[in-house]
Structure formats: C-alpha cells, structure tokens
Amino acid sequence: MKKKRSWKQLKKDIYRARAIYLMILPVVVWFLLFQYWPMTWLSISFFDYNLYLGFVGSKFVGFQNFIKFFTGMDFWRLMRNVLLLNFYALLVGFPAPIIFALFLNEMRSAKVKKVIQTVSFLPYFISMVAFVSLVTEFLSPSTGLSADILKFFGKEPIYFLGDAKYFRTIMVFSGIWQTMGYSAIVYLSALTAVDVNLYEAAMVDGANRWNRLIHITIPCIMPTIVVMFILRIGSLINANFEKIYLFQNSANLEVSEVIQTWVYKRGMVKYDYSMGTTAGLFNGIVALILVVMANRLSKRYSDSAGIW
C-alpha cells in the first residue's frame, strides 16, 4: 500500500520544484480571477438584480428568469441560429485542418511545405477587426474583388452581407480561411509521432501512398482527432462573438443573432443583468452536457480514452 506524504514532505517537494510552481502561478491566478471568480456572480440569474442595490436589496425570483428566457420569442431563434452555424462549421470546418495537415505531410519539398504552412498561418494572427474588414471589402458589391469576378462572368454584383441567406456561408468559409493553418499544427504534431517503421513495412508489402494514408496515418492520429472533436462538440452552442457581432447588421439579424450577441445586447446595452446572466448560464450548462456526452460516446465507440 502506498504511503501518504506528510505535510512536511509536501512542503519540501513544493520547495524543490519552486521554479515550476512560479512559472505556472500567473496562469493559475489568471484562471482564478477571470474564469472561476466570475462564476460566483452566476447567482444574479436567480434575482431581479439591481446594480445599485446589490444582492441584499435585489428581489429573489428563483427560476422566473429562466422561464422568461425559455418562453420568450427570441429563445428558439437564438438556438436555431447558433446550432445551425456551429453544425455547418463542424461539418465543413472540422475536417479542413485535418485534410490540410495530411496534404502538408505528404509533400516532398520541404521549402514549398514551409512556405504554404507560413502563408496559411497568417490570417490567424490578424486582429478580428482587420480580418472582418478584409472580408467585407472583398465581398463589397462596388469595390470588392467578388464584384469584379461576377462582372467578368457577366453577372450582377451581389451584396453578400446584406442578404441573410449568405451569412452562414460567409461565417463558415471565412472561419476556415482564418483558422485552418493554425488548427493544423495539432495534427502536424501528431503526424510527427507516427512510427516511420510502419511506413517502411507497408512499402515492403506493396502498399501505395493512398493505402499508407488510410491504414497507417489516419489511424495513428485518430486519438488526436477524437480529442479535438470532443472539444469542438463542447463549443457547439458557443459562437465567435466578435466575428458575428462585426458581421452583423439589420439585414442579416434574423440569422446572425446568437446567444452571445443577445447576452451582450440584453445585459450590457439594456442593463438587464439578470436575463443576460441567465442566458449565459444556460449556454454554459448545455456546453458542459455536450462535452460529457461526446466524451462518453468516444470512449464507448472508439479506442480513444477521451479527455478524462
């Protein structure tokens, strides 16, 4: 039976590894201040909260805010928008960095590979405001490149951001352009861990490049794919607030209004902190449920151990 460490021994171990603990201290402090401490304010959702009166002077209303949110006219519209937007992003955007990483891994020229990889990284490091401005300018019906292309083929320019039916397509494909190169890093790292002897043995057995890709490369990086998929499922009800809010206008509001933008407008603009917190708490609970479900399914139906 393993003997438990005494408090004195624990202090000695911490002192020996003090440099490591000092390195992680800023991260721990950041999480405590900006991730865990704000959770104490989730109780606002159970009050008719008044900023000037605080919890003592605000009326306790129980689950009335949740009932009001679930039965409101905006609820199903918000759920539809955020789920459809993330479903399309998952369907198209999740495989994109995997395929991109596989293509890069199969390239023989190291110089060309580095150039392509560097170019694909650049959009991720552009600020969101600048990125949205670039996309908006590209899609402009008067000065954008898309308008010139349509005119070249004899078509009339389209105001894409002014038509609600194009909003989800713009969000999904601009997201792929922005994050594909950066997201591929995880899969490229996993590919470096694949045993080269497996490829050599397959080549001896007569396996071509396609067979090696299907039977060796993809199975070897499948645990990484499963973990990334679980994390992506957990964000299925979340949306990129900055990007959506910057792309949002009165013409596409019907399909672009999601829980995050609604929380901002309701809580920060209209000062309805109770309803804003209620929507945010609901969003977090659903995200947690999705992560747990995806993790259990991955452990049941695949060889992956999940993320816990």
Side-chain angles (χ1 to χ4, degrees), residues 159-170 249-256:
Y159 183 26
F160 291 99
L161 290 174
D163 195 333
K165 68 181 181 181
Y166 296 112
F167 179 79
R168 295 190 182 107
T169 304
I170 294 170
N249 55 52
S250 57
N252 60 34
L253 190 63
E254 183 62 27
V255 297
S256 65

Side-chain angles (χ1 to χ4, degrees), residues 122-124 126-149 158-162 166-179 240 242-244 246-249 252:
L122 294 179
Y124 184 83
I126 300 174
S127 71
M128 188 59 70
V129 175
F131 178 81
V132 172
S133 299
L134 285 172
V135 176
T136 303
E137 182 62 28
F138 175 80
L139 298 175
S140 172
S142 55
T143 60
L145 181 60
S146 63
D148 294 335
I149 294 172
I158 301 172
Y159 183 26
F160 291 99
L161 290 174
Y166 296 112
F167 179 79
R168 295 190 182 107
T169 304
I170 294 170
M171 285 292 300
V172 170
F173 285 97
S174 65
I176 293 174
W177 176 41
Q178 184 181 21
T179 62
N240 192 327
E242 294 179 354
K243 188 176 176 183
I244 292 176
L246 290 169
F247 274 131
Q248 197 174 78
N249 55 52
N252 60 34

